[in-house]
């Protein structure tokens, strides 16, 4: 009988009402009435002291051999099943196994699945040519994405239209696989007349959204290739006295389509203190003034410690990141650093007093890569999709009107 | 100039071709030709011994103060930025920061986002009434889901149709939030004629799919409530000499809609060795014979250790889990266990030699909850969606034919 449990001595229901979600051990708020139609067995009134009572007192009618089994010292607690989460198991002991349901392992399950599946990330770089886009990408990802790149001479570059190229590389670190796609906009800004030179780039981003929209609306959605652009690093020239008109036009054309992260390129041409700060302030003012919406860092978790919050704040305040790229390692007094060797000294890419390269990489890879993907999926793609459906609806209505169906 | 790096001494490109994804430090496969149109600066031929050379040798033209800076002992490595991943950071040191890009933190980013968002899980219980469904659910989730349940008398139960009820509870463990929904099918099997009694249950599952299909096809997809049923625990009577015809009919009607996990209910009426095993074998044979596709455990990861693989195997071989539910804690010789106190002894719910309760909970919560959700999303829902679109297409074609549009 399902309810005969109630006849037993101690009731130990753990009570978890929706309003108070902490796990507490409480007596149930309502006990079933003794006159219950399905109730069976002798009912014992609740006895608060019963916990201390020895179960043997209640087992007089047990057969002798069983009595012996009960009277014997309790068998050692059964071996705890081996956890697939190893050291990361949120539950420490077999006592925890009894006290808890176990769903705090859900993040571990998600973690493991994500590792198994692998990650992908699509990064676009844009901005004038010659600002070190390729070098910076190679520096960021410690790889040579552009081994086969053919640089064009001036004549070729004049006739060249903005041609968008894709470089894909599979990399692995500490057992985590990443398919990295770099979308490059090489000839950008090289032409004499750059009117609407952002258009092919905007079209490219939209095409990836469109393809994804088709795929996710299709019948078979397994193995959809997701080529949506998760981030666009926009390179700003250090010689521009702030933003150039082309920069403004470009970023405004793209800011609703993609997460823009502006960087101040080739920062080794500006002195790190005064000149870089002045330039950054100017750029931030202009970004604000022209209503350009660059990628917004999410608010720091309130449960982070103060030191980390300050660091997160510093990261936000460094935008646009002043960067220097280099794929060469130079040596100074036995210390090997990635940097650029000038006659007047070594510029260290990873030295925070030289530039913001480490900050950019920290943000882009270590802390916010997943957020960039989420914002792309939840905001930029959803915006595209909404507009797409709305314009499709308008077309259908218009066609209906034309056919006299009176759909409006 | 972007390419002046090449004029420097040591090139240290890390080479990551798609075919070989291990991170290795290699010389680049192809160097740019010296006659490169954009090349600049003095070109130094690659020198394998250059790593050992002191940078000072190359810095003769530096101003004196800078020279001094270089000659001084190298400044201590800049403080490592504080990682938001704390102890879980896959990178150990600031040395690691230089050696690696850092994307091995992606699973941490996913982990954190999942905790922030919280989890949901929808569990259905089905099977004859009186098999301890409610008790088992309460035992599994250490909660009282059914505080307000009103049990009906025999007369009421005859006239009662299968009414599906939903219980929602928000619980939290170790900082992880779970919104648990229990979908109950109470009167099931109580009627004298149980023909198609599975139908309301199948309809319920389909309705949740339909609602989700509408929502994910709509304009605004933020805050979609996902009520899809992730798992159905199907209770098999211990008195049935295997599956009853109703069990077969029910599971076959549902197995393409939901992950079925069969359990052998009230297993304290069978002796744990011989009787339970005989019954389990019978049930497994019949599941096989009638082509019932219950939830399939995914293959164990090949990188798991042997002990864990064996345990995973044991879990799979325990299906149908023989279970006993109890929400009461009884005490024997100072040891408090959840169990059922009979005159002939105490049945311990969490003792693996008494029943498979711990195995069921381990599978359902600790190891496979996320997989149950993924299979629901990727397989059962996708099947529903495909059928839905296909029948919609057929209707459109038919309507077109009727209107003489000749769409076929």
């Amino acid at each position: 009988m399902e309810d005969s449990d109630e006849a037993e001595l101690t009731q130990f229901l753990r009570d978890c009402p929706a309003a108070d979600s902490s796990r507490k051990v409480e007596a149930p708020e309502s006990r079933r009435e003794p006159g219950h139609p399905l109730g069976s067995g002798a009912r014992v009134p609740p006895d608060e002291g019963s916990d201390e009572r020895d179960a043997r007192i209640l087992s007089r009618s047990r057969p002798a051999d069983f009595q012996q089994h009960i009277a014997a010292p309790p068998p050692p607690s059964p071996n705890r099943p081996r956890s697939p989460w190893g050291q990361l198991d949120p539950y420490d002991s077999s006592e925890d196994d009894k006290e808890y349901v176990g769903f705090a392992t859900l993040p571990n399950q998600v973690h493991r699945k994500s590792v198994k599946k692998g990650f992908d990330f699509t990064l676009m770089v844009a901005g004038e040519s010659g600002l070190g886009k390729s070098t910076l990408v190679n520096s960021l990802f410690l790889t040579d994405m552009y081994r086969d790149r053919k640089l064009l001479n001036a004549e070729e570059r004049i006739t060249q239209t903005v041609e968008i190229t894709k470089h894909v590389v599979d990399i692995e670190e500490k057992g985590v696989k990443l398919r990295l796609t770099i979308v490059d906009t090489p000839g950008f800004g090289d032409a004499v007349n750059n009117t609407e030179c952002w258009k092919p780039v905007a079209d490219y981003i939209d095409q990836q959204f469109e393809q994804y929209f088709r795929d996710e609306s299709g019948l078979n959605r397994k193995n959809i290739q997701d080529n949506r652009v998760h981030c666009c690093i926009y390179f700003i020239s250090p010689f521009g006295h702030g933003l150039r008109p082309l920069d403004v036009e470009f970023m405004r054309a793209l800011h609703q389509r993609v997460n823009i992260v502006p960087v101040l390129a080739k920062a080794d041409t500006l002195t790190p203190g005064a000149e870089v700060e002045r330039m950054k302030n100017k750029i931030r003012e202009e970004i604000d003034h022209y209503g350009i919406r660059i990628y917004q860092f999410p608010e720091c978790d309130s449960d982070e410690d103060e030191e980390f919050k300050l660091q997160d704040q510093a990261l936000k305040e460094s935008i646009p990141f002043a960067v220097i790229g280099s794929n060469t390692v130079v040596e100074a007094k036995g210390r090997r650093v990635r940097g650029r060797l000038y006659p007047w000294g070594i510029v260290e890419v990873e030295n925070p007093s030289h530039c913001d390269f480490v900050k950019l990489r920290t943000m882009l890879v270590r802390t916010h890569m997943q957020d960039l993907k989420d914002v792309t999926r939840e905001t930029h793609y959803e915006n595209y999709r909404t507009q797409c459906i709305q314009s499709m609806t308008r077309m259908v209505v218009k066609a209906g009107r034309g056919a006299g169906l009176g759909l409006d």
Side-chain angles (χ1 to χ4, degrees), chain A residues 58-71:
Chain A
L58 295 159
S59 58
R60 275 178 211 142
S61 57
R62 275 180 201 149
D65 58 333
F66 213 98
Q67 179 92 25
Q68 213 170 8
H69 171 79
I70 292 289

Side-chain angles (χ1 to χ4, degrees), chain A residues 1-11 13 28 30-34 36 38-46:
Chain A
M1 275 291 173
E2 189 172 350
D3 299 298
S4 59
D5 294 343
E6 287 192 308
E8 292 163 11
L9 265 188
T10 320
Q11 193 145 5
L13 275 170
S30 65
R31 284 168 186 273
R32 223 161 280 156
E33 291 303 305
H36 197 280
L38 288 182
S40 73
R43 286 182 182 273
V44 179

Side-chain angles (χ1 to χ4, degrees), chain A residues 124-133 149 151-152 156-165 183-202 232-237 243-254 260:
Chain A
M124 177 181 262
V125 285
E128 279 180 43
S129 65
L131 289 181
K133 295 192 291 295
R149 186 166 86 150
L151 289 182
L152 305 174
E156 287 172 308
R157 284 153 83 202
I158 288 171
T159 55
Q160 192 200 15
T161 54
V162 176
E163 188 190 290
I164 289 160
T165 53
V183 179
D184 210 347
T185 57
F188 176 65
D190 275 349
V192 176
N193 177 358
N194 289 301
T195 312
E196 296 215 325
C197 75
W198 49 265
K199 194 136 195 344
V201 181
C232 172
I233 300 188
Y234 188 80
F235 287 69
I236 298 163
S237 166
L243 296 181
R244 289 172 170 170
L246 183 55
D247 297 329
V248 175
E249 209 184 322
F250 190 94
M251 287 197 273
R252 281 173 60 102
L254 259 67
I260 296 177

